[in-house]
Amino acid sequence: MTAAHAPRGLLVDWGGVMTTDVFASFATFCEQEGISPDAVARRFRSDPEARKLLVDLETGTIEEAQFEPRFAAMLGVDGDGLIDRLFAGGADDPVMQDAVARARAAGITTGLISNSWGTGRYDRSLLARLFDGVVISGEVGIRKPSARIYELGAQAIGLPPDACVYVDDLAINLRPAAELGMATVHHTDAQRTISELEALLSIALR
């Protein structure tokens, strides 16, 4: 893509894009708890009750204190501090965070679209350094893959959807963004994602 026609906005997911693999953290939790390594992912994928719990948590319909004991009972584990334990195996990805910071410094307008597990777990000072606009599902009552949350993400950075690139580690979350006209990148590896973004945005990010 030529610089003249390159997108002017970069929208990204948080967990699994700006951090290490969320599902790897879930698997580590399961191993530590002595349950099947895919128990968490399988529950969300195939158990309607667990799925509803997740949707309610991500849209802010229920609080963490309501989610934790109910989901813990489904897994057969202690509910105390469950969310912290589920994510304890993860970490920030400094390579991706640096790439977003570089994009912003180069004049790209940056934004976050995140499905949240409670809204108090984000480092707000870090978000302010990285993003011009932030949309968090638990604060707006809408979660991906609802098309509306991508519209809100574009509005938060003051651009039309077709002027944006959207990055997510879950392919299901890319389709609505693409249908709105956004260029999309399926994140599986930081270096690959950065290469794709450099081509789309026509800037160097490392």
Side-chain angles (χ1 to χ4, degrees), residues 6-30:
R8 295 173 285 131
L10 171 60
L11 297 167
V12 300
D13 176 33
W14 186 261
V17 175
M18 304 300 283
T19 74
T20 55
D21 187 347
V22 171
F23 292 96
S25 182
F26 291 168
T28 297
F29 163 84
C30 291

Side-chain angles (χ1 to χ4, degrees), residues 25-26 28-30 32-33 68 72 75-90 121:
S25 182
F26 291 168
T28 297
F29 163 84
C30 291
Q32 291 172 343
E33 296 289 331
E68 289 182 319
L75 296 173
V77 301
D78 179 16
D80 187 38
L82 179 64
I83 294 175
D84 285 336
R85 286 156 48 217
L86 281 164
F87 287 100
R121 297 175 180 278

Side-chain angles (χ1 to χ4, degrees), residues 15-57:
V17 175
M18 304 300 283
T19 74
T20 55
D21 187 347
V22 171
F23 292 96
S25 182
F26 291 168
T28 297
F29 163 84
C30 291
E31 290 168 4
Q32 291 172 343
E33 296 289 331
I35 59 179
S36 172
D38 69 340
V40 172
R42 187 176 68 249
R43 280 284 180 180
F44 289 143
R45 185 172 58 245
S46 60
D47 183 333
E49 185 179 355
R51 184 71 180 170
K52 184 178 187 307
L53 267 182
L54 177 62
V55 170
D56 287 347
L57 178 66

Side-chain angles (χ1 to χ4, degrees), residues 132-155:
D132 296 291
V134 170
V135 177
I136 293 173
S137 66
E139 295 177 346
V140 298
I142 307 167
R143 66 187 288 277
K144 294 175 289 186
S146 169
R148 179 60 181 153
I149 200 167
Y150 304 93
E151 293 173 342
L152 292 176
Q155 289 174 15

Side-chain angles (χ1 to χ4, degrees), residues 88-100:
D92 286 354
D93 186 335
V95 176
M96 281 301 301
Q97 292 184 12
D98 181 67
V100 170

